[in-house]
Amino acid sequence: MALIWAVKKQLLLLLAFWLVNFVPSSQGKGNFYEFRYPFIKRASSFPSVSSSSSSGHNNGYDYIVVGGGTAGCPLAATLSKNFNVLVLERGGVPFSNANVSFLQNFHIALADTSPTSASQPFVSTDGVINTRARVLGGGSCINAGFYTRASTRFIKRVGWDAKIVNESYPWIEKQIVHQPKLEPWQVAIRDSLLSVGVSPFNGFTYDHVYGTKVGGTIYDRFGRRHTSAELLSSGNPQKLTVLVYATVQKIVFDISGKKPRAVGVIFKDEKGNQHQALLADKPQSEVILSTGAIGSPQMLLLSGIGPKADLQKLKIPVVLDNKFVGKGMADNPMNAVFVPSSKPEKQTLIETVGITKMGVYIEGSSGFSQSKDSIQCHHGIMSAEIGQLSTIPPKQRTPEAIQAYIRSKKNLPHEAFRGGFILEKIASPLSKGDLSLVNTNVDDNPSVTFNYFSHPYDLQRCVDGIRMATKVVQSEHFTNYTKCDRQTAEKVLDMSVKANVNLIPKHTNDTKSLEQFCKDTVITIWHYHGGCHVGTVVSPEHKVLGVDRVRVVDGSTFSESPGTNPQATVMMMGRYFGVKIVRERLGTAAGFKLLYSGTNKLRNGVENIVDKPLAKDVVVVKRIRIRIIAIKIVIEQEE
């Protein structure tokens, strides 16, 4: 009986998944997501500057959110409950993109460097290959999916209201976060971490606690990714407009008063035509930047807010001289220790993590050399054709160079291409860099420097982390599971320093120095942050200092990356500031009501009915709630 119910349940889940995500609108036109997200439109549908002076909205928008990313989507959804919101996203939608949607294509999404890709690659001046999101949903569409909250210390340090924080995280989790089914590779990581002293085992938890734990994931049981873009379905479709392929070029300011005042933005659509979107003529209306740690300082600079001398060199009219815009950039440096296996491993992304008191995090992944499509991938550690241990840098991808490396990789144990890797990364790096414009083209990446390991404490922690990661690889839990002896593991480690995972010149004659190993093999985990720090660029409320009606809500305001992986906190941050802004304008009671509003499609529908002042509708709602609870109880009992 239980087996029959389980099969029925799986079929019902698949049917629901299909109906919600793939059934087109009743009109039978357009894209499949229009049924669920009728407010998402192409940027070219917006009136041009010459045909409209009111942004397509009679009185302008209460909020213009620049960037429909990890923070921008929950922020816009929250604000739209009470205000007219326009979201401008330079990328497309993630829903029909198989490279974004499915776990097995994770590395392909990163390797796709075409103009329409969900990821836009950039290389820091340090020589490390990196990427930034270019899609609705932002980094949640191209990351490894791991979900874990920030530490309580981080929340206190940034000065956020702990009560709203602790109510905002579950708002995210109930909609798109899942508990992973721990795969054997991840079990081996767990047991190995515990054996080398990363204890205690804290089980499955979202909390940031010392020891070894299993975290959440935005991949469901079918391996399908659920991104921040799906949080838009919690918004009010009557007050929310989302334009994709809308590339904002600058914020427009009125500088006639005592302080520069944002009045709107100029953006171009997918056809290259320009448009102007205007804010409502209200003191509380705002342009909110949520374009990430690269995009937000870049946008402020392009809009005339930044170091005066730098702006004048590029002939950008100076709105506000602020020498701190783009400063204090940081990235959590990561190094990989490769794990050979006697058999092909199943593809897994991060599920288990070791949180040490020395400020080093240990994670792991496996199986991404096995995909048939991997032969086309050449991006950092995700390359397969030229070895799981390397990639030829983009400017050196000549046929001769690739063939030369293919020949040299024959010296590597065959087992190296069947396994995975253990990742060690440094928390809260003290090494800092900066960001500056190369030109005034918003489509081009700015120049970014992270200065990896320029601070000796970061380098020392990396050495400690590499030693621990090596112990994990050589533990009996891994050698028993992979059926590879310690000698094979040591050979892979010795040769991995030669892997071209970055553009940094190698010192392969000094591989016994772990300090040099750290510098030679440093890669990114996409946790860059800074550039719009609180206190120098924005206020504690994240309002841009020195101007009116501009706010920044994303990781560019962080002085450290929260938790082991930041996406949970960045998504929560969007919800958090949405609630805070509503409270600022409508009072605490409105914010309290918003916090306890529905967190899924059914409950949202129920609330829409409750808002109607008809007693019979309230009765219907109560019956619906009873049925929902009953169904939930039956499912939980069967499980």
Side-chain angles (χ1 to χ4, degrees):
M1 185 67 182
L3 178 61
I4 294 173
W5 167 252
V7 172
K8 286 182 177 179
K9 182 182 173 185
Q10 292 294 325
L11 291 173
L12 286 170
L13 286 170
L14 285 170
L15 177 61
F17 165 75
W18 176 262
L19 288 173
V20 170
N21 293 284
F22 292 98
V23 174
S25 65
S26 58
Q27 295 176 346
K29 300 177 182 178
N31 299 301
F32 65 80
Y33 58 82
E34 289 179 353
F35 178 75
R36 190 177 178 190
Y37 308 96
F39 42 78
I40 299 178
K41 307 176 187 301
R42 284 180 173 261
S44 56
S45 66
F46 198 82
S48 65
V49 174
S50 59
S51 63
S52 173
S53 60
S54 60
S55 323
H57 219 275
N58 290 336
N59 299 308
Y61 293 94
D62 293 305
Y63 295 96
I64 298 175
V65 178
V66 181
T70 310
C73 287
L75 172 66
T78 303
L79 291 174
S80 72
K81 289 291 188 179
N82 299 92
F83 305 106
N84 292 317
V85 179
L86 173 66
V87 178
L88 300 171
E89 167 54 46
R90 68 184 183 134
V93 295
F95 312 116
S96 57
N97 189 331
N99 289 346
V100 167
S101 297
F102 299 104
L103 184 147
Q104 71 243 28
N105 294 341
F106 161 69
H107 56 317
I108 300 174
L110 290 176
D112 181 4
T113 58
S114 66
T116 59
S117 170
S119 62
Q120 178 181 356
F122 71 94
V123 180
S124 71
T125 63
D126 316 275
V128 173
I129 302 168
N130 214 315
T131 191
R132 52 193 291 215
R134 182 171 49 196
V135 62
L136 188 67
S140 68
C141 296
I142 60 173
N143 63 18
F146 194 59
Y147 182 98
T148 177
R149 298 180 179 184
S151 65
T152 54
R153 178 193 63 81
F154 177 88
I155 301 301
K156 289 179 181 178
R157 181 173 178 178
V158 296
W160 292 348
D161 186 321
K163 187 175 188 299
I164 300 178
V165 166
N166 292 330
E167 289 162 343
S168 296
Y169 273 123
W171 185 86
I172 305 293
E173 292 152 9
K174 291 176 182 178
Q175 297 185 73
I176 63 171
V177 186
H178 306 267
Q179 179 176 350
K181 177 185 177 184
L182 209 61
E183 298 294 344
W185 180 272
Q186 299 291 332
V187 171
I189 294 176
R190 178 197 67 192
D191 294 343
S192 297
L193 283 169
L194 293 172
S195 71
V196 301
V198 187
S199 59
F201 178 56
N202 296 301
F204 169 72
T205 178
Y206 296 138
D207 293 337
H208 185 92
V209 285
Y210 290 120
T212 297
K213 74 166 197 173
V214 176
T217 177
I218 57 174
Y219 285 100
D220 63 22
R221 68 184 72 183
F222 305 110
R224 178 179 177 271
R225 183 194 294 265
H226 295 267
T227 75
S228 180
E230 295 182 29
L231 300 174
L232 289 169
S233 62
S234 295
N236 180 353
Q238 304 303 317
K239 292 181 175 291
L240 179 60
T241 301
V242 178
L243 298 183
V244 292
Y245 305 113
T247 304
V248 175
Q249 296 170 301
K250 67 175 182 178
I251 303 170
V252 179
F253 288 94
D254 175 2
I255 58 173
S256 61
K258 293 182 179 180
K259 185 186 292 187
R261 173 176 172 269
V263 296
V265 300
I266 292 176
F267 68 95
K268 63 179 180 180
D269 63 27
E270 72 276 12
K271 298 177 182 179
N273 297 322
Q274 281 198 338
H275 306 266
Q276 180 170 294
L278 298 179
L279 288 172
D281 190 17
K282 302 173 184 177
Q284 304 97 327
S285 296
E286 292 178 325
V287 172
I288 305 178
L289 297 182
S290 291
T291 51
I294 305 299
S296 287
Q298 180 186 24
M299 184 55 58
L300 287 179
L301 292 169
L302 289 171
S303 303
I305 299 176
K308 182 177 180 179
D310 293 347
L311 298 176
Q312 289 177 333
K313 285 180 183 178
L314 293 173
K315 298 181 180 180
I316 298 174
V318 178
V319 173
L320 179 72
D321 180 14
N322 186 331
K323 64 181 181 180
F324 296 106
V325 176
K327 300 301 187 289
M329 298 294 296
D331 187 21
N332 292 54
M334 184 172 77
N335 298 79
V337 176
F338 296 90
V339 187
S341 179
S342 62
K343 59 185 183 302
E345 293 298 334
K346 181 177 180 180
Q347 290 174 332
T348 71
L349 288 170
I350 299 165
E351 297 173 359
T352 306
V353 63
I355 302 174
T356 72
K357 292 185 178 180
M358 69 176 96
V360 172
Y361 303 142
I362 307 291
E363 302 170 347
S365 184
S366 65
F368 284 92
S369 285
Q370 308 306 320
S371 168
K372 293 181 180 179
D373 294 321
S374 296
I375 196 167
Q376 304 298 327
C377 294
H378 306 294
H379 186 90
I381 61 173
M382 305 313 299
S383 171
E385 158 58 18
I386 46 180
Q388 184 174 320
L389 305 189
S390 79
T391 181
I392 298 294
K395 293 182 180 179
Q396 301 175 25
R397 286 180 196 157
T398 64
E400 294 78 15
I402 293 176
Q403 290 304 315
Y405 201 90
I406 290 173
R407 287 192 298 271
S408 69
K409 79 175 185 179
K410 292 178 181 178
N411 296 323
L412 285 167
H414 186 66
E415 293 86 353
F417 306 105
R418 294 177 173 178
F421 37 83
I422 300 299
L423 310 172
E424 71 82 28
K425 58 186 178 183
I426 306 303
S428 305
L430 300 178
S431 305
K432 305 292 182 181
D434 53 44
L435 175 151
S436 61
L437 296 179
V438 175
N439 55 40
T440 57
N441 186 351
V442 69
D443 294 318
D444 292 344
N445 291 310
S447 173
V448 186
T449 302
F450 294 118
N451 288 325
Y452 297 101
F453 301 128
S454 60
H455 196 287
Y457 183 56
D458 293 343
L459 188 59
Q460 181 56 52
R461 286 188 292 166
C462 177
V463 170
D464 294 339
I466 290 293
R467 287 174 177 154
M468 177 172 289
T470 304
K471 289 179 181 178
V472 168
V473 173
Q474 296 178 338
S475 74
E476 62 178 11
H477 299 285
F478 253 115
T479 55
N480 289 342
Y481 172 68
T482 61
K483 306 301 181 184
C484 286
D485 57 23
R486 290 172 62 95
Q487 184 178 1
T488 303
E490 287 173 359
K491 186 176 182 181
V492 171
L493 178 61
D494 289 341
M495 296 196 68
S496 62
V497 74
K498 299 178 182 179
N500 294 321
V501 294
N502 56 42
L503 308 186
I504 299 172
K506 303 297 181 291
H507 298 78
T508 55
N509 61 338
D510 190 21
T511 57
K512 294 187 181 299
S513 166
L514 288 182
E515 287 85 359
Q516 196 62 55
F517 180 90
C518 286
K519 293 178 181 179
D520 286 351
T521 63
V522 63
I523 51 180
T524 185
I525 188 68
W526 314 291
H527 294 173
Y528 44 82
H529 51 280
C532 296
H533 284 156
V534 174
T536 57
V537 179
V538 299
S539 70
E541 292 76 34
H542 287 218
K543 296 180 179 181
V544 175
L545 298 170
V547 301
D548 285 335
R549 306 211 304 176
V550 183
R551 198 184 298 243
V552 181
V553 179
D554 58 33
S556 68
T557 63
F558 295 157
S559 58
E560 63 178 284
S561 182
T564 61
N565 301 69
Q567 80 160 339
T569 302
V570 175
M571 285 192 279
M572 180 280 293
M573 179 190 198
R575 173 65 174 179
Y576 175 91
F577 275 96
V579 172
K580 290 280 287 184
I581 291 170
V582 169
R583 284 189 173 186
E584 286 175 11
R585 292 190 65 168
L586 302 181
T588 302
F592 181 83
K593 179 181 178 182
L594 186 60
L595 275 172
Y596 289 95
S597 63
T599 58
N600 54 49
K601 314 299 174 298
L602 289 172
R603 195 166 175 183
N604 282 338
V606 168
E607 287 185 344
N608 289 336
I609 297 174
V610 170
D611 288 339
K612 297 179 181 179
L614 297 175
K616 64 178 182 180
D617 285 336
V618 175
V619 173
V620 172
V621 168
K622 289 181 179 179
R623 289 175 180 171
I624 292 173
R625 283 176 172 161
I626 291 170
R627 289 175 183 174
I628 292 170
I629 293 170
I631 293 170
K632 184 178 179 182
I633 291 172
V634 169
I635 291 175
E636 288 176 347
Q637 287 177 340
E638 290 294 335
E639 289 179 334

